[in-house]
Amino acid sequence: MKRPLVLMTLSGIVGILLGMGHYDVSIALVMLLVYRYRNLIKQNQYKHVFPFLGICLYSFLRVLIYNQSYEATLQYYVEGAHLEIEGRIKEARVSEQYNTYILMPIKVNGKTRQKGVRLITETVLDCGEWIVVKGEVLETRGKRNEGGFDALSYNKSRGIVGTVFTKEVDTLKKQKNNWKLKIDHLRKSHEKRLHLLLPQGEAELLSTLILGSKRMDEHVRENFEKAGLIHILSISGLHVSIIGYGLFKALNKGINNQGVSAVIAMIFLIYYCIYTGMQVSTVRATIMIGLYLIQFMVNRRYDKTTAVSFAAFGMLLLHPYQLIHVGFQLSFGAVLSIFYIEPLLKTNWMPIEKGPIAGIRLLIAVQIGIWPLLAYYFYSLPVYGFLGNLLVLPVVGILILFSILSLFVSYISMGIGTFIMGVSYWSMSYMQQITCLIGELPYNTLYIQAPNIYFIIAYYIVIALWIMGLPCKKTGVCLATLMLLSVSLYLLDLETMYMHFLDVGQGDSIVINYQNRTIMIDGGGDIKKKGDNVGMEVLLPFLRHQGIDRIDTVFITHSDFDHIYGIIEIANHIPISEVILPFVYKEKDDPLINQLLSGLDDQLTQIHYFKAGDQLSYKNMNISCLWPESIYMRDNNRNSLVLYVELKDLDVLLLGDAGILEEGAIMKGSSLLNRDVEVLKVGHHGSATSSSEIFLEKVSPTLSVISVGEKNTYGHPNDEVVKNLERFSKHVLMTKDQGAIRLRYRKGKATVQSMIKE
């Protein structure tokens, strides 16, 4: 059998996927393997099956054992617990307020654990230091909203079991001879040297490009992202390939000995991989370039398929959960696209060997290979990314090589080092001009709804069949059919109304999608974990995940922090066409309302004020205001908008923070409450001041939703209120237990789903 390592790797991946519970992806992969090796199956050559089944079983058991080990360590990390952690700093990320460090391995209360922990502190520490610290365990949450960050899965993919916070680190065990500490000091020395050679902005950019530093101006980073060049800002396979191959060629010309040149280049690459933090893409590239260099020492031909399989197999053997790491998927996706899709493009459409056409062909191949992953993880595609890469990538190699050369030469002669750095300075100026230009172009980012996992599976099955010999015309027809089917489903879905009760902690936020219109009611504002905020961590990722690039209407029920602040945070990041406030704030000087309106100054946002009796209609959906009247109440909760949403035979009552007095007023004043409602958003997070028995009996909701934060200091929801809700409602759901709750209504039928399945 040719290339058995390929089948070994794929068998291992199937086992890992089964161990993780990703049965749909593993079944698709098995089907492709059966198709690929169908000739061997027809010939009854089953002797190869058992070894590969063994690898699959081993990988499956490896995941189960890893899960058991992980869970055993995870039991120490209960939110709010205080632990004494001892460990070595493996990674460091320094910011203005809090610094984040990864400790690995660790001792928890004196017991050694071969896992990592994330430490958040104000103290500045060095990589390689062994520290002892007492801190409080912060909550590590899974995905609670669509588009939200799944911290649990990410931690698992990196072997991190929890997060600990302490303001200051009291105890440090200095290890002067620790090699990681020496590398960190050397990196800091190089950063200081770059600041001597370049202005601050360029020095920070170059530190990110070649040293793996994380300090960089956010505006510059955004421009690189809009230009589709964000991959350049992380130490990636591109960097390693340029450095490794460039160094090998330079050494070979100097000493004219391929074997010696390859050994020196490999040693430098391994050191550079460790020096820059051993990121997934860097490790992958180091292994593959290392195998490429080994051919010059053993006089054997380099096989790219075996090389990529060897890299994947080795990395997953050490840590199977790397398979779900986005860096692993994008890195291997890009290199596989170059190896297999680019030759197909060359054969069928672009037969030119060198020049701009070859570069364009390479970029197209990579985009074909990874765009579903980019859309799935980041919900956006840079419209001019192709142009950005075409203009910038040719100078990246020059920039990296001259920067490293200049850095080393500067230790011998500062003048010569500065002179050589001039080439790098010119290259960076050119890059920044291109990214700024693209960043200012209209429609530079296309926000798209994250593709369905089954669409991604179908897409990659078609691409795999193309690589395995499916004719181009049939491949094109399959892809066109898949795209047409997706568009058709999207158009049909416009008739469906989605109402999302987002999990924003202790606060309210509701998003309604109907007929290509987005309506948001409140935006939360609870800040629970260090460095997090609801607007940027929950609302904006959710909107991007849904492919929403504009909010048509925002209702602010009242100006309490936990209802308005999330909207304030995202006001500069997404256009808002219209904001509707309670009428009582029209003449009232409210600081948070003023902050929101000042944040909307640069937009053409219309501001309206609602009171009881006002309505907003869109097609056959009607939103009526039941409260407040025009008199401002000292108790701000009494100023809260109460909204009644009608869509055909679906009635939804949204109470904001209204209490028992407001419930009594709307029962008397609104004829809409003469019929039962299907959905009730419970008032004031289920507090004892709302949801009276007489009111609940009057509205008799089928579903009651309580938007409330876990372990909040207010004691919400009140136990008696929950009991009453359970008496008068068929279903009672809480965001603290279910995460985000989604109501789907189409053709008279409503279904409810929650992010956290019970």
Side-chain angles (χ1 to χ4, degrees):
M1 176 184 288
K2 289 183 65 177
R3 301 191 180 101
L5 190 58
V6 176
L7 192 53
M8 288 171 59
T9 304
L10 294 174
S11 302
I13 290 173
V14 170
I16 292 170
L17 290 170
L18 289 172
M20 293 178 181
H22 298 303
Y23 305 117
D24 40 15
V25 184
S26 56
I27 290 171
L29 186 54
V30 169
M31 290 171 60
L32 284 174
L33 286 173
V34 171
Y35 177 79
R36 173 64 180 84
Y37 294 99
R38 61 192 182 281
N39 291 331
L40 291 178
I41 295 173
K42 288 178 182 178
Q43 297 169 11
N44 296 323
Q45 294 189 16
Y46 298 118
K47 62 181 180 180
H48 303 295
V49 172
F50 296 105
F52 297 120
L53 284 178
I55 292 171
C56 181
L57 178 61
Y58 171 80
S59 300
F60 176 79
L61 295 175
R62 178 85 172 84
V63 173
L64 296 185
I65 293 169
Y66 179 86
N67 287 341
Q68 289 180 352
S69 172
Y70 190 88
E71 294 295 330
T73 308
L74 195 64
Q75 65 180 332
Y76 293 99
Y77 292 86
V78 179
E79 183 187 7
H82 287 78
L83 297 178
E84 182 178 272
I85 304 293
E86 186 175 346
R88 180 174 288 114
I89 298 174
K90 181 183 177 183
E91 295 179 25
R93 176 172 290 189
V94 180
S95 60
E96 293 181 2
Q97 186 176 8
Y98 293 107
N99 307 314
T100 303
Y101 303 96
I102 304 299
L103 308 184
M104 189 182 293
I106 53 174
K107 287 185 178 179
V108 184
N109 294 335
K111 294 184 178 180
T112 302
R113 301 286 176 181
Q114 296 300 318
K115 295 290 184 291
V117 67
R118 182 180 290 103
L119 174 67
I120 300 176
T121 180
E122 295 177 351
T123 307
V124 178
L125 303 167
D126 294 328
C127 277
E129 286 185 326
W130 187 277
I131 65 171
V132 181
V133 60
K134 291 183 179 179
E136 178 187 355
V137 177
L138 300 181
E139 181 186 18
T140 302
R141 310 179 87 188
K143 185 181 286 189
R144 300 183 67 87
N145 297 278
E146 289 181 288
F149 179 57
D150 190 345
L152 283 175
S153 294
Y154 178 77
N155 282 357
K156 213 166 190 179
S157 72
R158 301 202 62 199
I160 299 169
V161 288
T163 302
V164 174
F165 173 77
T166 183
K167 281 200 170 183
E168 295 182 356
V169 176
D170 298 323
T171 308
L172 291 117
K173 291 185 177 180
K174 292 287 185 180
Q175 295 186 337
K176 295 181 179 179
N177 295 322
N178 181 265
W179 60 273
K180 287 190 177 181
L181 195 58
K182 290 181 179 179
I183 288 176
D184 191 59
H185 288 162
L186 182 61
R187 187 188 299 112
K188 289 182 177 180
S189 171
H190 290 162
E191 287 185 18
K192 290 179 181 178
R193 178 68 56 163
L194 288 177
H195 279 80
L196 294 175
L197 293 166
L198 292 165
Q200 182 177 348
E202 284 73 16
E204 289 180 353
L205 175 57
L206 194 56
S207 295
T208 303
L209 281 167
I210 66 172
L211 304 181
S213 173
K214 304 298 182 183
R215 301 178 188 179
M216 189 175 172
D217 183 81
E218 191 62 32
H219 181 66
V220 175
R221 184 178 179 84
E222 285 181 6
N223 283 337
F224 271 83
E225 189 171 348
K226 291 174 182 177
L229 295 167
I230 193 67
H231 58 94
I232 293 177
L233 298 182
S234 57
I235 306 298
S236 64
L238 175 66
H239 297 66
V240 175
S241 301
I242 291 170
I243 293 169
Y245 190 73
L247 181 60
F248 170 73
K249 285 293 184 181
L251 289 170
N252 194 40
K253 283 187 178 181
I255 61 179
N256 197 25
N257 188 313
Q258 287 187 333
V260 174
S261 301
V263 170
I264 296 173
M266 283 179 59
I267 293 172
F268 183 82
L269 277 181
I270 293 170
Y271 174 79
Y272 185 71
C273 181
I274 297 169
Y275 175 89
T276 54
M278 296 186 69
Q279 300 300 318
V280 171
S281 58
T282 315
V283 174
R284 189 271 307 158
T286 301
I287 294 172
M288 292 186 64
I289 297 297
L291 291 174
Y292 173 80
L293 295 173
I294 286 175
Q295 72 173 324
F296 297 105
M297 295 184 285
V298 298
N299 294 320
R300 293 194 63 179
R301 186 175 63 85
Y302 174 75
D303 183 77
K304 59 186 180 183
T305 304
T306 302
V308 73
S309 300
F310 181 83
F313 189 76
M315 293 171 69
L316 294 176
L317 195 64
L318 292 174
H319 189 1
Y321 268 88
Q322 285 190 99
L323 184 63
I324 62 173
H325 193 288
V326 59
F328 183 95
Q329 294 176 17
L330 288 176
S331 181
F332 279 92
V335 76
L336 288 171
S337 301
I338 293 170
F339 285 173
Y340 298 108
I341 298 178
E342 193 268 346
L344 292 173
L345 296 177
K346 180 181 176 181
T347 302
N348 293 281
W349 292 296
M350 301 176 175
I352 298 174
E353 287 286 343
K354 297 181 179 180
I357 298 298
I360 292 172
R361 184 176 63 234
L362 192 68
L363 292 174
I364 292 174
V366 172
Q367 291 302 312
I368 290 173
I370 67 171
W371 80 262
L373 295 175
L374 293 173
Y376 182 77
Y377 286 110
F378 305 110
Y379 331 125
S380 64
L381 294 172
V383 174
Y384 309 111
F386 185 82
L387 176 63
N389 280 275
L390 188 64
L391 294 174
V392 169
L393 283 184
V395 305
V396 172
I398 298 171
L399 171 61
I400 292 174
L401 293 175
F402 273 86
S403 298
I404 293 175
L405 178 62
S406 171
L407 184 61
F408 283 111
V409 169
S410 69
Y411 284 95
I412 302 171
S413 171
M414 195 68 180
I416 298 175
T418 304
F419 177 78
I420 298 173
M421 188 61 79
V423 177
S424 300
Y425 180 80
W426 176 86
S427 301
M428 280 189 291
S429 298
Y430 170 75
M431 286 172 55
Q432 288 182 294
Q433 286 176 6
I434 295 296
T435 56
C436 286
L437 178 63
I438 293 177
E440 292 173 358
L441 291 175
Y443 309 108
N444 51 50
T445 304
L446 174 65
Y447 295 104
I448 58 176
Q449 187 170 359
N452 185 284
I453 186 65
Y454 297 109
F455 171 87
I456 296 176
I457 292 172
Y459 178 87
Y460 281 116
I461 285 175
V462 174
I463 295 298
L465 292 174
W466 182 31
I467 293 170
M468 287 188 280
L470 186 70
C472 287
K473 288 185 178 180
K474 290 185 178 181
T475 302
V477 170
C478 290
L479 290 178
T481 304
L482 184 61
M483 298 295 181
L484 184 61
L485 179 62
S486 299
V487 172
S488 301
L489 291 174
Y490 171 77
L491 293 175
L492 289 172
D493 210 35
L494 290 177
E495 295 295 326
T496 305
M497 189 273 282
Y498 292 96
M499 182 175 288
H500 305 264
F501 299 88
L502 300 183
D503 179 14
V504 291
Q506 185 61 20
D508 273 10
S509 186
I510 302 165
V511 179
I512 300 173
N513 302 112
Y514 180 61
Q515 292 282 2
N516 209 28
R517 189 176 183 89
T518 301
I519 299 169
M520 179 177 283
I521 302 156
D522 289 335
D526 176 49
I527 299 177
K528 189 171 184 180
K529 294 186 286 185
K530 300 293 182 291
D532 286 357
N533 59 70
V534 165
M536 302 306 294
E537 301 293 330
V538 177
L539 298 189
L540 198 59
F542 169 80
L543 295 170
R544 298 306 191 209
H545 179 273
Q546 300 296 308
I548 297 169
D549 58 3
R550 169 179 290 274
I551 306 174
D552 297 285
T553 303
V554 170
F555 284 93
I556 304 294
T557 59
H558 60 304
S559 64
D560 277 3
F561 184 89
D562 60 331
H563 291 253
I564 191 174
Y565 203 75
I567 303 296
I568 293 172
E569 290 169 344
I570 67 171
N572 292 325
H573 296 271
I574 187 167
I576 299 173
S577 301
E578 175 185 46
V579 170
I580 298 177
L581 298 161
F583 184 82
V584 296
Y585 292 111
K586 192 168 186 178
E587 305 297 333
K588 180 68 177 176
D589 187 27
D590 185 283
L592 287 177
I593 295 288
N594 293 339
Q595 188 175 349
L596 171 64
L597 297 181
S598 64
L600 296 170
D601 280 345
D602 295 335
Q603 302 185 32
L604 299 176
T605 305
Q606 298 181 29
I607 309 298
H608 301 290
Y609 296 88
F610 257 35
K611 61 180 184 298
D614 291 336
Q615 292 185 344
L616 173 70
S617 297
Y618 179 69
K619 296 194 175 180
N620 53 356
M621 181 172 70
N622 190 63
I623 302 177
S624 303
C625 179
L626 307 185
W627 186 264
E629 303 292 348
S630 56
I631 301 173
Y632 182 82
M633 304 288 185
R634 183 170 296 180
D635 180 358
N636 202 28
N637 290 331
R638 299 200 62 193
N639 300 313
S640 179
L641 284 175
V642 175
L643 302 173
Y644 196 94
V645 182
E646 300 170 273
L647 178 61
K648 297 180 181 178
D649 58 348
L650 178 72
D651 299 285
V652 181
L653 180 58
L654 309 173
L655 286 173
D657 271 2
I660 292 173
L661 293 175
E662 291 70 54
E663 292 170 357
I666 63 176
M667 279 193 293
K668 292 178 182 178
S670 176
S671 60
L672 290 172
L673 295 186
N674 290 333
R675 58 181 186 263
D676 295 345
V677 301
E678 280 67 46
V679 181
L680 170 69
K681 202 296 293 182
V682 177
H684 200 197
H685 319 292
S687 75
T689 61
S690 63
S691 306
S692 64
E693 287 190 57
I694 189 171
F695 177 74
L696 294 177
E697 186 177 13
K698 175 78 172 176
V699 298
S700 297
T702 304
L703 168 67
S704 294
V705 176
I706 305 176
S707 183
V708 63
E710 193 174 11
K711 299 179 183 177
N712 64 85
T713 57
Y714 307 101
H716 297 161
N718 178 268
D719 292 339
E720 193 65 32
V721 168
V722 174
K723 289 179 182 177
N724 289 335
L725 286 166
E726 290 173 344
R727 282 173 55 203
F728 296 106
S729 299
K730 290 184 180 179
H731 307 281
V732 179
L733 300 179
M734 307 183 201
T735 56
K736 74 179 182 68
D737 298 326
Q738 275 80 31
I741 298 161
R742 184 180 76 168
L743 171 72
R744 182 182 185 271
Y745 178 79
R746 178 177 173 82
K747 294 183 178 179
K749 184 179 180 181
T751 56
V752 178
Q753 292 180 315
S754 59
M755 282 298 298
I756 301 174
K757 305 294 189 292
E758 294 183 339

